[in-house]
Amino acid sequence: QVRLVENGGGSVQAGGTLRLSCVASFDFRFMGWFRQTPGKEREGVVGLDTRGGATEYGDSVKGRVTIAQTNAKNTLALQLENLKSEDSGIYYCAAAHVVGYGLLHPASYSDWGQGTQVTVSS
């Protein structure tokens, strides 16, 4: 069953800001954003304990990324600033009730959205 849906994506201007959101149909304690480019492993952008206490960011986006929960916490928004070509890829929202491998490891997450393509243009 699909319980996470990504919104946003498309072509975004280099140097600009990417804004994505994930709409959840079920409450999860742990949520995250991941991205993947063909030929590369899926990498963690951000992982969050929605109850507080822990948020982790991927090395490639540290200092440029912020997240926020909106709409009574059924939506997780991602904002990535100062976009670079390397930020292009498919972005996935993920969620889990437990994270056995840490917040930024894909194997920790049991539920995934279908992904949204992000292309940084110049």
Side-chain angles (χ1 to χ4, degrees), residues 30-96:
F30 302 96
M31 298 186 70
W33 280 97
F34 294 78
R35 66 186 184 185
Q36 187 167 25
T37 300
K40 297 179 63 178
E41 295 184 0
R42 188 168 298 186
E43 66 173 337
V45 177
V46 61
L48 168 72
D49 181 349
T50 66
R51 297 183 185 178
T55 303
E56 296 183 11
Y57 301 95
D59 291 340
S60 63
V61 298
K62 286 181 179 178
R64 300 190 293 130
V65 63
T66 56
I67 57 171
Q69 287 186 286
T70 60
N71 298 325
K73 296 190 177 182
N74 70 334
T75 301
L76 179 65
L78 171 73
Q79 180 174 291
L80 182 60
E81 300 177 333
N82 300 319
L83 289 170
K84 311 169 184 178
S85 296
E86 307 93 275
D87 293 319
S88 296
I90 302 176
Y91 283 68
Y92 298 90
C93 182

Side-chain angles (χ1 to χ4, degrees), residues 1 20 25 30 37 40 47 53 55 76-77 82 92-93 97 99 102 110 116-118 120:
Q1 75 190 87
L20 302 174
S25 61
F30 302 96
T37 300
K40 297 179 63 178
T55 303
L76 179 65
N82 300 319
Y92 298 90
C93 182
H97 298 292
V99 286
S110 56
T116 183
Q117 177 70 243
V118 173
V120 180

Side-chain angles (χ1 to χ4, degrees), residues 2-6 22 42 91-95 111-115:
V2 178
R3 298 192 288 185
L4 301 169
V5 178
E6 299 94 344
C22 173
R42 188 168 298 186
Y91 283 68
Y92 298 90
C93 182
D111 287 74
W112 293 84
Q114 294 300 302

